[in-house]
Structures are given as C-alpha cells and as structure tokens.
Amino acid sequence: MDQRVSLTPEFTADCREALEADVCARIARNAVTSSGVRAAARDAEVAALATTTFVIQLEQGEITDQKRSGRCWMFASLNTMRYRIMKKLGIKTFELSQAYPLFWDKYERANWFFENIIATAGEELTSREVAYLLADPLCDGGQWDMFRSLVKKYGVVPKEAMPETVCSSNTGDMNKYLTRYLRAGAKRLRDALAAAATADEARAVKQELMEGVYRMLAICLGEPPASFEVRIRDEKNELKASGTYTPQQFFAEFVDMNLDDYVSIISAPTADKPYLRSYTVKYLGNVVEDGTVRYVNLPIDALKRVAVAQLKDGLPVWFGSDVDQGFLSADGVLDPAALDVDTLFGLPIETGLDKAARLDYGESVMTHAMTLQGVNLNEAGVPTRWRIENSWSDEHGKKGYDVASDAWFDEYVYQVVVDKKYLTDEELAAYEAEPTVLAPWDPMGTLAC
C-alpha cells in the first residue's frame, strides 16, 4: 500500500517562516552565498594548529603531480619506492615513471575484464554482476595489491625512461575510447558464446581484442621500454648508478623491496565485517594470474600502531582515505573540526552518522591514496598529528604536504599497507586465513583515484 505523503504549501510556508525568524540562519545565508560553504565553515583556529614540524619526519624528494588522472594509488606506491632509491643512492630527489604502470594496468585490466565477461557469459545482461562489470571497466583508480601485482610482473622504470604524455596526464579521452572498445568487445564475446562458440574460439576473439588494446595504449602512452640506460648523479655530480637494466632488474637492485612482505590492513567497523578476519572483493584485481586483493580488518588503533612502527623504522606508509572529508585543501589541513558545517547550518550534518553508518549508507569510502611521511606523538606515545605526502604538486597545501589530526585518522582512514612483521601473530594468522568474499559493490572494494 502506497503511504507516501506529498509536501503541502502550508508546510513550506512554515519552513520559510521558521528560517526568517532565525537570526543565525540569516547570517549563515549571507556568508555562504557570498563565499561558499567551506569558506564560511572554515575554523581558522583549527587550521592554525596544523604544524609543519614533526617528531618523526621522513624527508622525501620533490613533490609529484598526478594532474588530471586518477593515479593516486600508483603515485603513492611509487613514492614509497622512490624513497628507498633515494636513501640507497644518497640523492635528494628522484622520480619513477607513472606512465609505465599506467600502460600495464590498462593492458592487464582489459584482459581481466574480458576474462570476467567470458566467465559470466551465462548470466543475463541485466544481472547486477554483469551490469557492474560493464559500468566502469577501465577507470584509473586502484588499490595497493593491484600495484604490487603490476610491479611483480613488470618492474619499474625511471621517469626519463617513459615520460608523461598528454594522455597519461589527462586520461579522460583515452579512458573513454578504451572503455567503448571494451564494451564492444564484451558484446562480441557474449554473442559468440551465446552462439555456442567453444572456449578456445572465445579466447581467440579475446586475443584479437587485446591486440587492439595494446595498439590503443601504445598510441596514447608510447610503448613501455624492455630495457633502458641508467645514469644517476647526486647533487655533487657524482655518478651513483650507471648501466643497462630491464624494469625488473632496476626494481630488484634499486628498490630492493620484497613486495610479498607488504600487506593491506583495513578498518571497517561495520556489522558485516568482524575484526580479525580476512576479506577479498569479487572481480577486484588486474593481473589474472595474481588473483584478487586481500585485507585483514582490524580496529583503527591497530592501523595507527603499525603505521607508527614503520615510520619509526624510517619507511613511509601507503594509506587510503576519504580525502574530501574535513578537508581545507588550500591550507593542507585534514581535521573533522576544520569545517564547522553543523554550526553553520544548525543541523546534525557531519555528526549525523558514525564511521560504520557512513560506510553502510554510502556517505564515505576510500577515495584517495597518499603516503604517511611523519607523525607527532604525545608523551604517552599516542599519535596527535600525521604528515602526509600528496601527489597534487607542490602548489597544493603546505608545499605539497597535508597535515591530518589524529581525529581525522580515526574517522576517515580506511586502509594502510605495512610490512607484515609489524602485525601480531594473531593479526597475521587472520590475514593469511581463507578470506570472506565481499560483493563487487562493497564499500571496501572502492578504488582510490
């Protein structure tokens, strides 16, 4: 029985009368209509608390810039790796190519997509899972486990070995036409299988399609190098590295990182995801032979503990968060108290949902990956503020860095990646246990971009 109630003119008149009688609402209206919500809600005292000096502070190279692309997860990952190269060679700055993993991610993700289309060929086109696969098969976003898969297979290269192109810096058109090509390929595959094509025949079609993907990527990004010359000098012009390397050899010698030692930890305080359990997400991945992602869900204090431990050992930490929440971008400040939106509107807007409810009701998910490069601790060793390296150029925030309060970490950080040695035996056992498979549209399957 339909019991929906319409809005009446009388109710609207009451709303208007209540607003006109509220002096604070009129002042807020004048402020917001003149300067916008964030400027009017900005708390200057909170913004002033964001220090630029930290007890534990790692020194990174020049700030990178992902420009108009959703490659934050790649930039954050490469920023943790270039830090190791700089430390190893004793140089002040260095940059790895971000166009190189972009090429291989699009290439591998196209194959991942076609394989999933083949696997779901027996389902109706209108099924939720097929609709999910077709919705956004080739976006820029990703997660740490997907980057690890790329590096294990393809290695890394210096930026000069595969520089940026117009299409890597602004991926919109490339993604648009690649996606259109993939959807047409999906139709070809489904039609072939519906007409009783064998698995071998279907994969022959896929092979032809993948040749087209490679062609489009090479035209947009250039071909990735199979090998390259390396000449790296320090600020004194001393030659620190020289030779010819494959991408895999370069990673092994200069990054020198056991990728399988690094694990993803999430903090999702929702009823459907008990802590100390392992999780994966159906259809989430890129390199077929490396499988899907895996996390262990732990309370937020555990994420802080392991992040601080790795920072104390002199290594940055990849993390994923909902960056737009409590964010004063121009100030480079992340703090729930930085924007007093509830007082501005006189309504429980930001306080209306807790962290679990924000996940359950679609208000918040991981949207952006960055690296932790420092932390302040109080006398009890408890974090108070975090130093964050972003990938939005040195014109953003505090010369490319942001400062987050610990309260913001509590509310809007969802994932960190650390060496598994920082986990307790119980936490590591939970990570290594058979994972629960989450639905493709679960909030923990959101891609950072």
Side-chain angles (χ1 to χ4, degrees):
M1 181 178 178
D2 191 347
Q3 296 180 340
R4 290 176 292 181
V5 177
S6 63
L7 295 170
T8 65
E10 291 78 16
F11 176 79
T12 303
D14 290 342
C15 291
R16 182 188 298 273
E17 183 178 343
L19 182 66
E20 291 175 350
D22 189 334
V23 175
C24 291
R26 295 205 303 274
I27 295 172
R29 178 190 62 197
N30 292 340
V32 172
T33 55
S34 299
S35 58
V37 173
R38 287 185 189 248
R42 178 181 180 272
D43 190 316
E45 292 183 358
V46 172
L49 294 174
T51 180
T52 57
T53 304
F54 290 78
V55 173
I56 300 172
Q57 182 168 314
L58 309 184
E59 292 305 320
Q60 180 65 288
E62 295 174 1
I63 294 295
T64 56
D65 187 359
Q66 69 185 81
K67 298 186 179 178
R68 299 187 66 181
S69 71
R71 295 176 290 166
C72 68
W73 58 294
M74 292 181 175
F75 274 72
S77 301
L78 291 170
N79 283 340
T80 67
M81 293 176 183
R82 74 178 178 131
Y83 182 89
R84 291 168 174 266
I85 296 172
M86 290 161 50
K87 189 174 181 180
K88 182 182 182 74
L89 298 179
I91 55 179
K92 287 187 177 180
T93 193
F94 185 79
E95 195 165 348
L96 289 162
S97 170
Q98 300 94 2
Y100 180 78
L102 178 66
F103 182 103
W104 292 122
D105 179 59
K106 300 295 185 189
Y107 183 66
E108 289 284 350
R109 207 178 301 201
N111 183 61
W112 180 276
F113 169 74
F114 287 138
E115 286 295 325
N116 285 326
I117 289 297
I118 292 171
T120 57
E123 297 183 25
E124 293 294 328
L125 189 61
T126 54
S127 75
R128 188 173 184 184
E129 290 196 1
V130 174
Y132 170 84
L133 291 173
L134 292 171
D136 193 9
L138 210 69
C139 71
D140 285 350
Q143 295 199 10
W144 163 260
D145 283 13
M146 296 163 66
F147 193 80
R148 179 182 62 193
S149 296
L150 293 172
V151 175
K152 285 171 66 176
K153 187 168 183 176
Y154 296 106
V156 297
V157 305
K159 189 164 188 174
E160 63 183 15
M162 189 168 179
E164 291 286 284
T165 71
V166 170
C167 290
S168 66
S169 297
N170 186 348
T171 56
D173 281 346
M174 178 181 71
N175 288 345
K176 173 183 177 179
Y177 293 113
L178 274 167
T179 298
R180 184 164 182 167
Y181 178 75
L182 261 60
R183 287 176 177 145
K187 183 179 186 303
R188 283 186 62 190
L189 287 167
R190 286 180 61 90
D191 287 351
L193 290 165
T198 66
D200 288 344
E201 289 169 338
R203 282 186 168 78
V205 173
K206 190 201 81 169
Q207 184 172 341
E208 178 192 335
L209 292 167
M210 286 304 305
E211 289 174 359
V213 170
Y214 188 94
R215 176 186 177 87
M216 292 182 71
L217 289 171
I219 289 171
C220 290
L221 303 174
E223 287 198 84
S227 64
F228 50 90
E229 293 290 317
V230 171
R231 303 287 185 271
I232 302 174
R233 292 182 179 272
D234 65 11
E235 287 67 31
K236 297 179 181 178
N237 204 33
E238 294 179 359
L239 191 63
K240 309 298 289 188
S242 177
T244 303
Y245 293 86
T246 67
Q248 295 85 350
Q249 289 169 339
F250 187 82
F251 175 82
E253 180 167 340
F254 294 106
V255 179
D256 190 22
M257 179 182 185
N258 186 349
L259 292 167
D260 290 331
D261 282 345
Y262 285 79
V263 298
S264 292
I265 307 169
I266 60 170
S267 188
T270 51
D272 64 328
K273 298 181 187 69
Y275 290 136
L276 285 171
R277 300 279 181 86
S278 177
Y279 298 92
T280 187
V281 182
K282 191 173 184 181
Y283 299 132
L284 181 56
N286 51 3
V287 179
V288 168
E289 64 268 28
D290 213 32
T292 57
V293 302
R294 178 182 291 226
Y295 328 114
V296 60
N297 192 24
L298 300 177
I300 195 67
D301 284 346
L303 276 66
K304 297 180 189 179
R305 186 196 80 236
V306 297
V308 169
Q310 186 159 300
L311 286 168
K312 283 183 175 179
D313 283 346
L315 289 173
V317 178
W318 189 106
F319 81 103
S321 67
D322 188 352
V323 73
D324 196 46
Q325 303 276 9
F327 190 25
L328 297 177
S329 180
D331 297 283
V333 172
L334 294 154
D335 191 327
L339 290 166
D340 194 359
V341 175
D342 289 17
T343 298
L344 179 67
F345 287 101
L347 296 168
I349 298 170
E350 294 203 316
T351 56
L353 300 170
D354 63 15
K355 188 173 187 177
R358 286 195 295 270
L359 287 169
D360 284 338
Y361 282 82
E363 167 55 27
S364 180
V365 293
M366 181 181 74
T367 60
H368 190 51
M370 300 177 282
T371 59
L372 298 172
Q373 292 281 358
V375 63
N376 274 339
L377 307 171
N378 64 18
E379 294 180 356
V382 176
T384 58
R385 294 197 181 273
W386 300 83
R387 183 176 189 246
I388 296 169
E389 178 190 11
N390 209 331
S391 54
W392 293 346
S393 87
D394 58 7
E395 296 182 2
H396 162 77
K398 301 180 185 302
K399 296 182 178 179
Y401 285 85
D402 295 313
V403 177
S405 69
D406 195 54
W408 184 85
F409 195 111
D410 284 336
E411 296 299 323
Y412 298 114
V413 169
Y414 292 109
Q415 186 176 1
V416 300
V417 174
V418 297
D419 193 312
K420 61 186 178 184
K421 69 182 181 182
Y422 300 114
L423 274 63
T424 66
D425 291 344
E426 183 182 25
E427 291 166 349
L428 185 56
Y431 174 83
E432 292 175 344
E434 185 67 23
T436 298
V437 180
L438 302 175
W441 40 84
D442 188 273
M444 286 299 104
T446 303
L447 302 178
C449 58

